[in-house]
Amino acid sequence: QVQLVESGGGSAESRGSLRLSCVASTYSYSYSFYCMAWFRQVSGKEREGVAAIGRDGRIRYVDDVEGRFTISQDHAKNTLFLQMDTLKPEDTAMYFCAAVRCPIYNGFAPLLSSAYEYWGQGTQVTVSS
């Protein structure tokens, strides 16, 4: 079982920056056994994968945030980050941290919400024009 707690959301102006954090509490397996990802959701729309990081550190982004967002993690602190720069109003959404145990070390983490087992409660990001 994994518990995820996000923080760092808030309001920003267009072209501004925010940094999200997600602290993971793991019980059966250590943090290093999990693929981690950030998703976002606008009310009435499906949850969208934003960025994911695999066990070996491979990273993937959705096209819309490539070059503007950076996913990273601190294994010593069991913490996942999402640095969001050059924000746009269309980045406004509830952002969720997600985790799934990845038995295979090498490879990309998925960006499909159905692939993830554990979710945080979400943190709201609002970008004004």
Side-chain angles (χ1 to χ4, degrees), residues 6 63 124:
E6 303 99 332
D63 288 346
Q124 178 67 36

Side-chain angles (χ1 to χ4, degrees), residues 35 39 98-102 109-119:
C35 291
F39 287 79
V100 64
R101 190 168 69 88
C102 282
L111 266 178
L112 293 175
S113 59
S114 58
Y116 286 84
E117 186 173 2
Y118 304 103
W119 295 86

